[in-house]
């Protein structure tokens, strides 16, 4: 794939870079995305029955089991070349005192696994569990057959520490992401359909602030016509090539 020379130059000169990732960056790790026809999770499952507080109140076992299945998929998978390329991008930028902010909608934790110290996880992390009633993270609980398990402190149900439809995003994380989008010189939107707010607003904020906005996605999205560069390709191929071209 031939990458635009002007993009390579822009990235080489940039003092601050922000990156937003979505399910597409983990697709090459074997994790299903949400909205793709046939293969997306929301093509097979009904979000209102699995990813809302109401669903959990109606059928906590079903919701717990569905997330346990997805957690198992994550545990059996590993980060791919796209994740590693972003970690390399961060190392190159930090080595020269530049700013790099990584924002993700993904709950798989793969960005942490490849060495990023700070990841703004807008939608939580599937490997973490919290108390449904008290909304506090619970690191361990006594082994039990019960699903969902009970909170060792209050006896209420445990739930995955992910953001469900209708729930607020972690406020400090969202504030940091909004700030990064507004001050960066280059903003990447990678592997996201850009249909879920407030994450979908981040590239628009970056565009309004005159950043160079780069989309990497094999399929067009609402952002595609507005992006400064829209690279139609898989992140596991495009990102390593880009990093290699900018920092040979
Ligand atoms: P989507 O499933 O909506 O979009 C995934 C995007 O990844 C699509 O635009 C694909 O074209 C693209 N894609 C697929 N393979 C790719 C590859 N190899 N490289 C690059 N891009 C690829 O997933 P998200 O946009 O992440 O929220 O969805 C946003 C949120 O909706 C999720 O965080 C989740 C979901 O409901 C919650 O659960 C709160």
């Amino acid at each position: 794939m031939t990458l635009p020379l002007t993009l390579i130059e822009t990235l080489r000169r940039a003092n601050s870079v922000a990156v937003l990732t979505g399910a597409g960056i983990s697709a090459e790790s074997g994790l299903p995305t949400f909205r793709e026809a046939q293969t997306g999770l929301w093509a097979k499952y009904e979000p209102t029955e699995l990813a809302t507080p109401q669903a959990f109140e109606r059928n906590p076992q079903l919701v717990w089991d569905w997330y346990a299945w997805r957690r198992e998929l994550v545990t059996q998978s590993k980060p791919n070349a796209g994740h590693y390329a972003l970690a390399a991008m961060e190392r190159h930028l930090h080595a020269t005192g530049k700013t790099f902010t990584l924002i993700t909608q993904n709950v798989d934790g793969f960005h942490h696994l490849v060495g990023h110290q700070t990841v703004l996880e807008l939608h939580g992390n599937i490997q973490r569990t919290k108390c449904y009633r008290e909304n506090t993270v619970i690191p361990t609980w006594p082994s039990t057959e019960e699903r969902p398990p009970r909170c060792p402190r209050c006896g209420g149900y445990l739930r995955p520490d992910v953001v469900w439809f209708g729930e607020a995003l972690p406020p400090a994380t969202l504030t940091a992401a909004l700030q990064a989008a507004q001050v960066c010189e280059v903003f990447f939107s990678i592997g996201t359909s850009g249909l879920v707010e407030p994450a979908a607003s981040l590239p628009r904020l970056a565009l309004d602030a005159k950043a160079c906005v780069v989309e990497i996605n094999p399929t067009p999205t609402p952002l595609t016509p507005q992006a400064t560069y829209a690279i139609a390709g898989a992140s596991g191929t495009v990102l390593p090539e880009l990093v290699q071209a900018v920092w040979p």
Side-chain angles (χ1 to χ4, degrees):
M1 170 170 298
T2 315
L3 296 164
L5 282 176
T6 46
L7 167 60
I8 294 166
E9 268 312 307
T10 302
L11 200 50
R12 206 171 270 152
R13 283 198 310 267
N15 289 308
S16 62
V17 174
V19 175
L20 170 68
T21 63
I25 195 167
S26 295
E28 289 157 271
S29 295
L31 298 182
T33 60
F34 292 94
R35 286 176 188 77
E36 287 180 277
Q38 315 298 327
T39 56
L41 288 172
W42 297 153
K44 294 197 197 104
Y45 303 97
E46 191 53 57
T48 51
E49 281 170 27
L50 294 164
T52 64
Q54 293 78 10
F56 189 72
E57 279 173 21
R58 266 197 313 271
N59 196 338
Q61 187 176 337
L62 175 79
V63 173
W64 177 267
D65 286 351
W66 190 68
Y67 279 93
W69 167 71
R70 284 184 52 203
R71 194 182 307 118
E72 190 53 31
L73 277 184
V74 170
T75 306
Q76 286 169 10
S77 309
K78 48 187 197 306
N80 64 58
H83 298 100
Y84 283 101
L86 285 181
M89 187 187 290
E90 179 177 69
R91 282 196 302 276
H92 287 297
L93 288 164
H94 281 177
T96 47
K98 295 173 175 180
T99 307
F100 179 87
T101 307
L102 181 53
I103 309 159
T104 190
Q105 298 165 87
N106 298 345
V107 296
D108 54 40
F110 281 176
H111 291 305
H112 282 293
L113 285 185
V114 297
H116 294 277
Q117 295 296 313
T118 308
V119 183
L120 299 175
E121 292 182 315
L122 294 175
H123 294 163
N125 189 310
I126 202 166
Q127 305 291 6
R128 255 191 337 256
T129 299
K130 64 180 181 179
C131 172
Y132 182 66
R133 198 186 283 164
E134 297 182 330
N135 203 31
T136 45
V137 172
I138 304 293
T140 54
W141 56 92
S143 166
T144 171
E145 294 289 299
E146 203 180 357
R147 307 190 322 271
R150 299 275 178 174
C151 171
R153 296 216 301 243
C154 76
Y157 283 133
L158 295 180
R159 58 164 281 185
D161 189 5
V162 299
V163 175
W164 284 331
F165 290 104
E167 293 186 317
L169 274 60
T173 307
L174 178 58
T175 303
L178 292 168
Q179 167 81 3
Q182 279 163 320
V183 302
C184 68
E185 291 170 20
V186 179
F187 185 97
F188 283 91
S189 178
I190 303 170
T192 175
S193 59
L195 297 174
V196 174
E197 292 293 351
S201 293
L202 294 169
R204 286 200 296 275
L205 282 176
L207 278 171
D208 289 348
K210 305 280 179 268
C212 166
V213 171
V214 187
E215 179 177 66
I216 301 175
N217 194 319
T219 311
T221 75
L223 177 67
T224 310
Q226 298 164 39
T228 322
Y229 299 95
I231 303 174
S235 45
T237 307
V238 175
L239 281 169
E241 282 185 28
L242 183 61
V243 170
Q244 175 63 29
V246 177
W247 296 280

